[in-house]
Amino acid sequence: MKTAARPAAGTVPRRTTRPRADALRNRERIVTAARDMFVEFGPDVPLDEVARRAGVGNATLYRNFPDRAALIHEVVLSVTSRTTERAEEAMAEEADPFAALCRFVHAAADERIGALCPMLSGNFDRDHPELLAERRRFEEAVEGLVARAMSAGRLRTDIAVGDVLVGLSQLIRPLPGIACQGIDRFAHRHLQLFLDGLEAPARSVLPGTAATLEVLRRRS
């Protein structure tokens, strides 16, 4: 009969520490608050305002994210990952390729994909390997949705993935000014109007050229 190994005398068994559940909740609340405020006010919003909306103290925010760049990194990673999951779910569960694209666009709005736009010129490492890997996964998922819908004859052929992403991002970001408070309630309505314009057969001739991912990646 084998006996369990005992730690040597005088030694203390090693324990692996895990973040407490409340600490994980606080971190998630900070990321969610920052995501929403970046959409509304841009990435330069005061961090104490982020902490206030998240319902935590400044010390808690800085314990999780020592500076603005660290918080932006986490928001970009979170939004990109969650939006990719929505794209993969739509592709797997919708038989109609255009319905899958529509489902993704509305889901991406709910994930606040517009939070990514103000950060493209932000002061953080956009080429961090973790972010690059997640961006590739996201782009591949959206390219797959667009390619399927186009191959099925359900999506107009004079557009590209970038057109979908630019239109989506522009329509879900609130306009500046106090008169636009509460404009989020119109987002899905206007997104559907946009999607109707993407459906084949095309009802107009678009000016300019299609926005590809390569065009979007160019930096001024």
Short mmCIF file of all heavy atoms in Angstrom, two decimals, residues 78-140:
data_model
loop_
_atom_site.label_atom_id
_atom_site.label_comp_id
_atom_site.label_asym_id
_atom_site.label_seq_id
_atom_site.Cartn_x
_atom_site.Cartn_y
_atom_site.Cartn_z
N SER A 78 -10.01 42.91 -24.47
CA SER A 78 -11.32 42.40 -24.08
C SER A 78 -12.35 42.60 -25.19
O SER A 78 -13.08 41.66 -25.56
CB SER A 78 -11.79 43.10 -22.80
OG SER A 78 -13.11 42.75 -22.49
N VAL A 79 -12.42 43.81 -25.74
CA VAL A 79 -13.41 44.10 -26.79
C VAL A 79 -13.13 43.25 -28.02
O VAL A 79 -14.05 42.68 -28.63
CB VAL A 79 -13.41 45.60 -27.14
CG1 VAL A 79 -14.27 45.86 -28.36
CG2 VAL A 79 -13.92 46.41 -25.96
N THR A 80 -11.88 43.14 -28.41
CA THR A 80 -11.53 42.36 -29.60
C THR A 80 -11.89 40.90 -29.41
O THR A 80 -12.49 40.27 -30.29
CB THR A 80 -10.04 42.50 -29.94
OG1 THR A 80 -9.69 43.88 -30.03
CG2 THR A 80 -9.71 41.82 -31.26
N SER A 81 -11.53 40.34 -28.26
CA SER A 81 -11.80 38.92 -27.99
C SER A 81 -13.29 38.62 -27.96
O SER A 81 -13.77 37.67 -28.59
CB SER A 81 -11.15 38.53 -26.66
OG SER A 81 -11.47 37.20 -26.32
N ARG A 82 -14.05 39.45 -27.25
CA ARG A 82 -15.49 39.21 -27.12
C ARG A 82 -16.20 39.38 -28.47
O ARG A 82 -17.12 38.62 -28.80
CB ARG A 82 -16.08 40.15 -26.08
CG ARG A 82 -15.65 39.82 -24.66
CD ARG A 82 -16.02 40.94 -23.69
NE ARG A 82 -17.45 41.11 -23.60
CZ ARG A 82 -18.20 40.56 -22.65
NH1 ARG A 82 -17.66 39.81 -21.72
NH2 ARG A 82 -19.50 40.77 -22.62
N THR A 83 -15.77 40.36 -29.26
CA THR A 83 -16.39 40.57 -30.57
C THR A 83 -16.06 39.44 -31.52
O THR A 83 -16.90 39.03 -32.33
CB THR A 83 -15.95 41.93 -31.15
OG1 THR A 83 -16.17 42.96 -30.18
CG2 THR A 83 -16.74 42.27 -32.41
N THR A 84 -14.86 38.91 -31.43
CA THR A 84 -14.49 37.75 -32.25
C THR A 84 -15.38 36.56 -31.92
O THR A 84 -15.84 35.84 -32.81
CB THR A 84 -13.02 37.38 -32.02
OG1 THR A 84 -12.18 38.49 -32.37
CG2 THR A 84 -12.62 36.18 -32.88
N GLU A 85 -15.63 36.36 -30.64
CA GLU A 85 -16.51 35.26 -30.24
C GLU A 85 -17.91 35.42 -30.83
O GLU A 85 -18.53 34.44 -31.26
CB GLU A 85 -16.59 35.20 -28.71
CG GLU A 85 -15.29 34.74 -28.06
CD GLU A 85 -15.31 34.89 -26.56
OE1 GLU A 85 -16.38 35.29 -26.02
OE2 GLU A 85 -14.28 34.63 -25.93
N ARG A 86 -18.39 36.66 -30.87
CA ARG A 86 -19.72 36.90 -31.46
C ARG A 86 -19.71 36.56 -32.95
O ARG A 86 -20.69 36.03 -33.49
CB ARG A 86 -20.14 38.35 -31.26
CG ARG A 86 -20.19 38.85 -29.83
CD ARG A 86 -21.31 38.21 -29.03
NE ARG A 86 -20.93 36.92 -28.47
CZ ARG A 86 -20.15 36.78 -27.40
NH1 ARG A 86 -19.67 37.83 -26.78
NH2 ARG A 86 -19.87 35.58 -26.96
N ALA A 87 -18.61 36.90 -33.65
CA ALA A 87 -18.51 36.58 -35.08
C ALA A 87 -18.49 35.08 -35.30
O ALA A 87 -19.16 34.55 -36.20
CB ALA A 87 -17.26 37.23 -35.66
N GLU A 88 -17.72 34.36 -34.48
CA GLU A 88 -17.63 32.90 -34.62
C GLU A 88 -18.96 32.23 -34.31
O GLU A 88 -19.35 31.26 -34.98
CB GLU A 88 -16.52 32.39 -33.70
CG GLU A 88 -15.13 32.84 -34.13
CD GLU A 88 -14.04 32.52 -33.12
OE1 GLU A 88 -14.39 32.21 -31.96
OE2 GLU A 88 -12.85 32.59 -33.48
N GLU A 89 -19.67 32.74 -33.32
CA GLU A 89 -20.98 32.18 -32.99
C GLU A 89 -21.97 32.40 -34.13
O GLU A 89 -22.73 31.48 -34.49
CB GLU A 89 -21.52 32.84 -31.72
CG GLU A 89 -20.79 32.43 -30.46
CD GLU A 89 -21.16 33.30 -29.26
OE1 GLU A 89 -22.00 34.22 -29.46
OE2 GLU A 89 -20.62 33.08 -28.17
N ALA A 90 -21.95 33.59 -34.71
CA ALA A 90 -22.88 33.89 -35.81
C ALA A 90 -22.62 32.97 -36.99
O ALA A 90 -23.55 32.45 -37.62
CB ALA A 90 -22.75 35.35 -36.22
N MET A 91 -21.35 32.75 -37.32
CA MET A 91 -21.00 31.90 -38.45
C MET A 91 -21.42 30.46 -38.21
O MET A 91 -21.89 29.77 -39.12
CB MET A 91 -19.50 31.98 -38.73
CG MET A 91 -19.08 31.23 -39.99
SD MET A 91 -17.30 31.38 -40.34
CE MET A 91 -17.17 33.11 -40.70
N ALA A 92 -21.27 30.01 -36.98
CA ALA A 92 -21.57 28.61 -36.66
C ALA A 92 -23.06 28.33 -36.56
O ALA A 92 -23.52 27.22 -36.85
CB ALA A 92 -20.88 28.22 -35.35
N GLU A 93 -23.84 29.33 -36.17
CA GLU A 93 -25.25 29.08 -35.83
C GLU A 93 -26.26 29.57 -36.85
O GLU A 93 -27.43 29.17 -36.79
CB GLU A 93 -25.55 29.71 -34.46
CG GLU A 93 -24.72 29.11 -33.32
CD GLU A 93 -24.89 29.85 -32.01
OE1 GLU A 93 -25.76 30.75 -31.95
OE2 GLU A 93 -24.15 29.55 -31.05
N GLU A 94 -25.86 30.42 -37.79
CA GLU A 94 -26.80 30.96 -38.77
C GLU A 94 -26.61 30.28 -40.13
O GLU A 94 -25.50 30.29 -40.68
CB GLU A 94 -26.61 32.47 -38.93
CG GLU A 94 -26.90 33.27 -37.68
CD GLU A 94 -28.38 33.30 -37.34
OE1 GLU A 94 -29.21 33.02 -38.22
OE2 GLU A 94 -28.71 33.63 -36.18
N ALA A 95 -27.67 29.70 -40.65
CA ALA A 95 -27.58 29.04 -41.96
C ALA A 95 -27.46 30.04 -43.10
O ALA A 95 -26.79 29.78 -44.10
CB ALA A 95 -28.81 28.14 -42.17
N ASP A 96 -28.12 31.18 -42.98
CA ASP A 96 -28.09 32.21 -44.01
C ASP A 96 -26.85 33.09 -43.79
O ASP A 96 -26.74 33.74 -42.74
CB ASP A 96 -29.36 33.05 -43.93
CG ASP A 96 -29.38 34.20 -44.94
OD1 ASP A 96 -28.39 34.39 -45.67
OD2 ASP A 96 -30.40 34.92 -44.98
N PRO A 97 -25.90 33.13 -44.73
CA PRO A 97 -24.67 33.89 -44.52
C PRO A 97 -24.90 35.38 -44.27
O PRO A 97 -24.18 36.00 -43.49
CB PRO A 97 -23.88 33.67 -45.82
CG PRO A 97 -24.41 32.40 -46.39
CD PRO A 97 -25.85 32.38 -46.01
N PHE A 98 -25.91 35.96 -44.93
CA PHE A 98 -26.17 37.39 -44.69
C PHE A 98 -26.78 37.60 -43.31
O PHE A 98 -26.47 38.59 -42.63
CB PHE A 98 -27.08 37.97 -45.77
CG PHE A 98 -27.17 39.47 -45.71
CD1 PHE A 98 -26.13 40.26 -46.17
CD2 PHE A 98 -28.29 40.09 -45.18
CE1 PHE A 98 -26.20 41.65 -46.10
CE2 PHE A 98 -28.37 41.47 -45.10
CZ PHE A 98 -27.32 42.25 -45.56
N ALA A 99 -27.63 36.68 -42.87
CA ALA A 99 -28.18 36.77 -41.52
C ALA A 99 -27.05 36.66 -40.49
O ALA A 99 -27.10 37.32 -39.44
CB ALA A 99 -29.21 35.66 -41.30
N ALA A 100 -26.05 35.84 -40.78
CA ALA A 100 -24.90 35.71 -39.88
C ALA A 100 -24.14 37.03 -39.79
O ALA A 100 -23.74 37.46 -38.70
CB ALA A 100 -23.97 34.60 -40.36
N LEU A 101 -23.95 37.69 -40.93
CA LEU A 101 -23.27 38.98 -40.93
C LEU A 101 -24.07 40.02 -40.14
O LEU A 101 -23.51 40.78 -39.34
CB LEU A 101 -23.04 39.46 -42.36
CG LEU A 101 -22.34 40.81 -42.52
CD1 LEU A 101 -20.93 40.76 -41.95
CD2 LEU A 101 -22.31 41.23 -43.99
N CYS A 102 -25.38 40.05 -40.36
CA CYS A 102 -26.23 40.99 -39.63
C CYS A 102 -26.18 40.73 -38.13
O CYS A 102 -26.08 41.67 -37.33
CB CYS A 102 -27.67 40.89 -40.13
SG CYS A 102 -27.93 41.46 -41.82
N ARG A 103 -26.24 39.47 -37.76
CA ARG A 103 -26.18 39.13 -36.34
C ARG A 103 -24.87 39.60 -35.73
O ARG A 103 -24.86 40.16 -34.62
CB ARG A 103 -26.34 37.62 -36.18
CG ARG A 103 -26.10 37.12 -34.76
CD ARG A 103 -26.43 35.64 -34.64
NE ARG A 103 -25.86 35.06 -33.44
CZ ARG A 103 -26.07 33.80 -33.05
NH1 ARG A 103 -26.86 33.01 -33.76
NH2 ARG A 103 -25.52 33.33 -31.95
N PHE A 104 -23.78 39.40 -36.43
CA PHE A 104 -22.48 39.85 -35.94
C PHE A 104 -22.45 41.36 -35.76
O PHE A 104 -21.97 41.87 -34.73
CB PHE A 104 -21.36 39.42 -36.89
CG PHE A 104 -20.13 40.26 -36.73
CD1 PHE A 104 -19.31 40.14 -35.61
CD2 PHE A 104 -19.78 41.20 -37.70
CE1 PHE A 104 -18.18 40.95 -35.45
CE2 PHE A 104 -18.66 42.00 -37.56
CZ PHE A 104 -17.86 41.87 -36.42
N VAL A 105 -22.92 42.11 -36.75
CA VAL A 105 -22.87 43.57 -36.68
C VAL A 105 -23.63 44.08 -35.45
O VAL A 105 -23.14 44.93 -34.70
CB VAL A 105 -23.42 44.20 -37.98
CG1 VAL A 105 -23.68 45.69 -37.80
CG2 VAL A 105 -22.43 43.96 -39.12
N HIS A 106 -24.82 43.55 -35.22
CA HIS A 106 -25.59 44.00 -34.06
C HIS A 106 -24.92 43.56 -32.75
O HIS A 106 -24.91 44.33 -31.77
CB HIS A 106 -27.02 43.45 -34.13
CG HIS A 106 -27.87 44.11 -35.16
ND1 HIS A 106 -28.35 45.40 -35.00
CD2 HIS A 106 -28.34 43.69 -36.37
CE1 HIS A 106 -29.07 45.75 -36.06
NE2 HIS A 106 -29.08 44.72 -36.91
N ALA A 107 -24.34 42.36 -32.74
CA ALA A 107 -23.66 41.89 -31.53
C ALA A 107 -22.40 42.71 -31.26
O ALA A 107 -22.08 43.01 -30.10
CB ALA A 107 -23.30 40.41 -31.68
N ALA A 108 -21.69 43.09 -32.32
CA ALA A 108 -20.48 43.91 -32.15
C ALA A 108 -20.83 45.27 -31.56
O ALA A 108 -20.07 45.83 -30.77
CB ALA A 108 -19.78 44.07 -33.49
N ALA A 109 -21.99 45.80 -31.94
CA ALA A 109 -22.44 47.06 -31.36
C ALA A 109 -22.68 46.90 -29.86
O ALA A 109 -22.30 47.77 -29.06
CB ALA A 109 -23.71 47.54 -32.05
N ASP A 110 -23.28 45.79 -29.47
CA ASP A 110 -23.52 45.55 -28.05
C ASP A 110 -22.22 45.37 -27.27
O ASP A 110 -22.16 45.69 -26.08
CB ASP A 110 -24.40 44.31 -27.87
CG ASP A 110 -25.84 44.54 -28.33
OD1 ASP A 110 -26.27 45.72 -28.35
OD2 ASP A 110 -26.51 43.56 -28.69
N GLU A 111 -21.19 44.86 -27.94
CA GLU A 111 -19.88 44.70 -27.29
C GLU A 111 -19.09 46.00 -27.28
O GLU A 111 -17.97 46.04 -26.78
CB GLU A 111 -19.07 43.60 -27.99
CG GLU A 111 -19.65 42.21 -27.88
CD GLU A 111 -19.64 41.67 -26.46
OE1 GLU A 111 -18.96 42.27 -25.60
OE2 GLU A 111 -20.32 40.66 -26.21
N ARG A 112 -19.66 47.07 -27.84
CA ARG A 112 -19.05 48.40 -27.89
C ARG A 112 -17.74 48.38 -28.66
O ARG A 112 -16.71 48.88 -28.21
CB ARG A 112 -18.82 48.96 -26.48
CG ARG A 112 -20.06 48.98 -25.60
CD ARG A 112 -21.25 49.73 -26.20
NE ARG A 112 -21.03 51.15 -26.37
CZ ARG A 112 -21.33 52.09 -25.47
NH1 ARG A 112 -21.88 51.73 -24.31
NH2 ARG A 112 -21.11 53.36 -25.71
N ILE A 113 -17.79 47.82 -29.88
CA ILE A 113 -16.59 47.77 -30.70
C ILE A 113 -16.07 49.17 -31.02
O ILE A 113 -14.90 49.36 -31.33
CB ILE A 113 -16.87 46.98 -32.00
CG1 ILE A 113 -15.55 46.64 -32.71
CG2 ILE A 113 -17.82 47.73 -32.91
CD1 ILE A 113 -15.71 45.77 -33.93
N GLY A 114 -16.94 50.17 -30.90
CA GLY A 114 -16.50 51.54 -31.12
C GLY A 114 -15.43 51.98 -30.15
O GLY A 114 -14.75 52.98 -30.38
N ALA A 115 -15.24 51.25 -29.04
CA ALA A 115 -14.20 51.59 -28.08
C ALA A 115 -12.81 51.45 -28.69
O ALA A 115 -11.84 52.03 -28.20
CB ALA A 115 -14.30 50.68 -26.85
N LEU A 116 -12.69 50.67 -29.77
CA LEU A 116 -11.39 50.47 -30.38
C LEU A 116 -10.95 51.67 -31.20
O LEU A 116 -9.75 51.93 -31.35
CB LEU A 116 -11.41 49.23 -31.29
CG LEU A 116 -11.82 47.91 -30.63
CD1 LEU A 116 -11.77 46.79 -31.66
CD2 LEU A 116 -10.92 47.59 -29.45
N CYS A 117 -11.90 52.42 -31.74
CA CYS A 117 -11.55 53.48 -32.69
C CYS A 117 -10.72 54.61 -32.08
O CYS A 117 -9.70 54.99 -32.66
CB CYS A 117 -12.81 54.04 -33.32
SG CYS A 117 -13.61 52.85 -34.40
N PRO A 118 -11.10 55.18 -30.93
CA PRO A 118 -10.30 56.27 -30.40
C PRO A 118 -8.89 55.86 -30.00
O PRO A 118 -8.02 56.69 -29.80
CB PRO A 118 -11.09 56.72 -29.15
CG PRO A 118 -12.44 56.13 -29.30
CD PRO A 118 -12.25 54.88 -30.09
N MET A 119 -8.66 54.54 -29.89
CA MET A 119 -7.37 54.07 -29.41
C MET A 119 -6.35 53.84 -30.51
O MET A 119 -5.19 53.57 -30.25
CB MET A 119 -7.57 52.78 -28.62
CG MET A 119 -8.46 52.96 -27.43
SD MET A 119 -8.87 51.38 -26.72
CE MET A 119 -10.45 51.78 -26.00
N LEU A 120 -6.80 53.93 -31.75
CA LEU A 120 -5.88 53.64 -32.85
C LEU A 120 -4.72 54.62 -32.88
O LEU A 120 -3.65 54.32 -33.39
CB LEU A 120 -6.63 53.66 -34.18
CG LEU A 120 -7.71 52.58 -34.31
CD1 LEU A 120 -8.39 52.68 -35.67
CD2 LEU A 120 -7.12 51.19 -34.13
N SER A 121 -4.92 55.82 -32.33
CA SER A 121 -3.84 56.78 -32.27
C SER A 121 -3.38 57.00 -30.82
O SER A 121 -2.69 57.97 -30.52
CB SER A 121 -4.29 58.13 -32.86
OG SER A 121 -5.42 58.61 -32.16
N GLY A 122 -3.80 56.12 -29.94
CA GLY A 122 -3.48 56.29 -28.52
C GLY A 122 -2.03 55.94 -28.21
O GLY A 122 -1.32 55.31 -29.02
N ASN A 123 -1.62 56.32 -27.01
CA ASN A 123 -0.25 56.11 -26.58
C ASN A 123 -0.14 54.77 -25.85
O ASN A 123 -0.02 54.72 -24.63
CB ASN A 123 0.20 57.26 -25.68
CG ASN A 123 1.66 57.14 -25.29
OD1 ASN A 123 2.45 56.51 -25.99
ND2 ASN A 123 2.03 57.73 -24.16
N PHE A 124 -0.20 53.71 -26.62
CA PHE A 124 0.00 52.38 -26.06
C PHE A 124 0.54 51.48 -27.15
O PHE A 124 0.57 51.86 -28.32
CB PHE A 124 -1.30 51.83 -25.47
CG PHE A 124 -2.29 51.31 -26.49
CD1 PHE A 124 -2.54 49.96 -26.60
CD2 PHE A 124 -2.95 52.18 -27.34
CE1 PHE A 124 -3.44 49.48 -27.54
CE2 PHE A 124 -3.86 51.71 -28.27
CZ PHE A 124 -4.10 50.36 -28.37
N ASP A 125 1.00 50.30 -26.78
CA ASP A 125 1.68 49.41 -27.72
C ASP A 125 0.66 48.64 -28.56
O ASP A 125 0.20 47.57 -28.18
CB ASP A 125 2.58 48.44 -26.95
CG ASP A 125 3.41 47.57 -27.88
OD1 ASP A 125 3.36 47.79 -29.11
OD2 ASP A 125 4.13 46.69 -27.37
N ARG A 126 0.34 49.19 -29.71
CA ARG A 126 -0.62 48.53 -30.60
C ARG A 126 -0.06 47.26 -31.22
O ARG A 126 -0.80 46.43 -31.72
CB ARG A 126 -1.05 49.50 -31.71
CG ARG A 126 -1.88 50.66 -31.22
CD ARG A 126 -2.20 51.63 -32.32
NE ARG A 126 -0.99 52.31 -32.81
CZ ARG A 126 -0.98 53.19 -33.80
NH1 ARG A 126 -2.08 53.46 -34.43
NH2 ARG A 126 0.15 53.78 -34.15
N ASP A 127 1.27 47.13 -31.20
CA ASP A 127 1.91 45.96 -31.81
C ASP A 127 2.31 44.92 -30.77
O ASP A 127 3.16 44.06 -31.04
CB ASP A 127 3.14 46.41 -32.61
CG ASP A 127 2.77 47.27 -33.80
OD1 ASP A 127 1.72 47.00 -34.42
OD2 ASP A 127 3.51 48.23 -34.11
N HIS A 128 1.73 44.99 -29.60
CA HIS A 128 1.99 43.97 -28.58
C HIS A 128 1.55 42.61 -29.14
O HIS A 128 0.48 42.49 -29.74
CB HIS A 128 1.19 44.30 -27.33
CG HIS A 128 1.52 43.44 -26.15
ND1 HIS A 128 1.09 42.13 -26.04
CD2 HIS A 128 2.26 43.69 -25.03
CE1 HIS A 128 1.53 41.62 -24.91
NE2 HIS A 128 2.23 42.54 -24.28
N PRO A 129 2.38 41.57 -28.97
CA PRO A 129 2.05 40.25 -29.55
C PRO A 129 0.67 39.75 -29.17
O PRO A 129 -0.03 39.13 -29.98
CB PRO A 129 3.15 39.34 -28.99
CG PRO A 129 4.30 40.25 -28.73
CD PRO A 129 3.70 41.56 -28.31
N GLU A 130 0.24 39.99 -27.94
CA GLU A 130 -1.08 39.54 -27.49
C GLU A 130 -2.18 40.22 -28.29
O GLU A 130 -3.16 39.58 -28.69
CB GLU A 130 -1.22 39.86 -26.00
CG GLU A 130 -2.44 39.25 -25.34
CD GLU A 130 -2.47 39.54 -23.85
OE1 GLU A 130 -1.99 40.62 -23.43
OE2 GLU A 130 -2.98 38.69 -23.10
N LEU A 131 -2.02 41.52 -28.52
CA LEU A 131 -3.03 42.26 -29.28
C LEU A 131 -3.01 41.87 -30.75
O LEU A 131 -4.05 41.77 -31.40
CB LEU A 131 -2.80 43.76 -29.14
CG LEU A 131 -2.98 44.34 -27.73
CD1 LEU A 131 -2.73 45.85 -27.74
CD2 LEU A 131 -4.37 44.04 -27.19
N LEU A 132 -1.81 41.67 -31.31
CA LEU A 132 -1.70 41.29 -32.72
C LEU A 132 -2.36 39.94 -32.97
O LEU A 132 -3.06 39.75 -33.97
CB LEU A 132 -0.24 41.26 -33.15
CG LEU A 132 0.46 42.61 -33.29
CD1 LEU A 132 1.94 42.39 -33.65
CD2 LEU A 132 -0.22 43.48 -34.34
N ALA A 133 -2.14 38.99 -32.06
CA ALA A 133 -2.74 37.66 -32.22
C ALA A 133 -4.26 37.74 -32.16
O ALA A 133 -4.96 37.10 -32.96
CB ALA A 133 -2.22 36.72 -31.13
N GLU A 134 -4.79 38.54 -31.24
CA GLU A 134 -6.25 38.67 -31.12
C GLU A 134 -6.82 39.41 -32.33
O GLU A 134 -7.92 39.09 -32.80
CB GLU A 134 -6.61 39.39 -29.83
CG GLU A 134 -8.02 39.18 -29.38
CD GLU A 134 -8.35 37.71 -29.15
OE1 GLU A 134 -7.64 37.03 -28.41
OE2 GLU A 134 -9.35 37.24 -29.75
N ARG A 135 -6.09 40.39 -32.83
CA ARG A 135 -6.56 41.13 -34.00
C ARG A 135 -6.63 40.22 -35.22
O ARG A 135 -7.59 40.28 -36.01
CB ARG A 135 -5.66 42.32 -34.30
CG ARG A 135 -6.21 43.24 -35.39
CD ARG A 135 -5.29 44.40 -35.66
NE ARG A 135 -4.12 44.00 -36.43
CZ ARG A 135 -3.13 44.83 -36.76
NH1 ARG A 135 -3.15 46.08 -36.35
NH2 ARG A 135 -2.11 44.40 -37.49
N ARG A 136 -5.62 39.35 -35.39
CA ARG A 136 -5.64 38.41 -36.53
C ARG A 136 -6.85 37.49 -36.43
O ARG A 136 -7.52 37.21 -37.43
CB ARG A 136 -4.34 37.61 -36.56
CG ARG A 136 -3.16 38.38 -37.16
CD ARG A 136 -2.01 37.44 -37.45
NE ARG A 136 -1.46 36.85 -36.24
CZ ARG A 136 -0.47 37.40 -35.52
NH1 ARG A 136 0.04 38.57 -35.89
NH2 ARG A 136 -0.01 36.81 -34.44
N ARG A 137 -7.12 37.01 -35.23
CA ARG A 137 -8.28 36.12 -35.03
C ARG A 137 -9.57 36.85 -35.37
O ARG A 137 -10.47 36.30 -36.01
CB ARG A 137 -8.28 35.64 -33.58
CG ARG A 137 -9.42 34.71 -33.22
CD ARG A 137 -9.22 34.11 -31.84
NE ARG A 137 -10.50 33.64 -31.32
CZ ARG A 137 -11.15 34.16 -30.29
NH1 ARG A 137 -10.63 35.19 -29.65
NH2 ARG A 137 -12.29 33.67 -29.90
N PHE A 138 -9.68 38.09 -34.94
CA PHE A 138 -10.86 38.90 -35.22
C PHE A 138 -11.02 39.13 -36.73
O PHE A 138 -12.11 38.94 -37.28
CB PHE A 138 -10.74 40.24 -34.49
CG PHE A 138 -11.76 41.26 -34.92
CD1 PHE A 138 -13.09 41.14 -34.56
CD2 PHE A 138 -11.38 42.35 -35.69
CE1 PHE A 138 -14.03 42.08 -34.96
CE2 PHE A 138 -12.31 43.30 -36.09
CZ PHE A 138 -13.63 43.16 -35.73
N GLU A 139 -9.95 39.52 -37.39
CA GLU A 139 -10.01 39.82 -38.82
C GLU A 139 -10.38 38.57 -39.62
O GLU A 139 -11.16 38.63 -40.57
CB GLU A 139 -8.69 40.39 -39.30
CG GLU A 139 -8.43 41.81 -38.77
CD GLU A 139 -7.07 42.34 -39.16
OE1 GLU A 139 -6.25 41.54 -39.71
OE2 GLU A 139 -6.80 43.52 -38.94
N GLU A 140 -9.82 37.44 -39.24
CA GLU A 140 -10.13 36.19 -39.95
C GLU A 140 -11.61 35.84 -39.79
O GLU A 140 -12.26 35.38 -40.75
CB GLU A 140 -9.26 35.05 -39.42
CG GLU A 140 -7.79 35.16 -39.85
CD GLU A 140 -6.92 34.15 -39.12
OE1 GLU A 140 -7.46 33.35 -38.31
OE2 GLU A 140 -5.69 34.15 -39.36
#
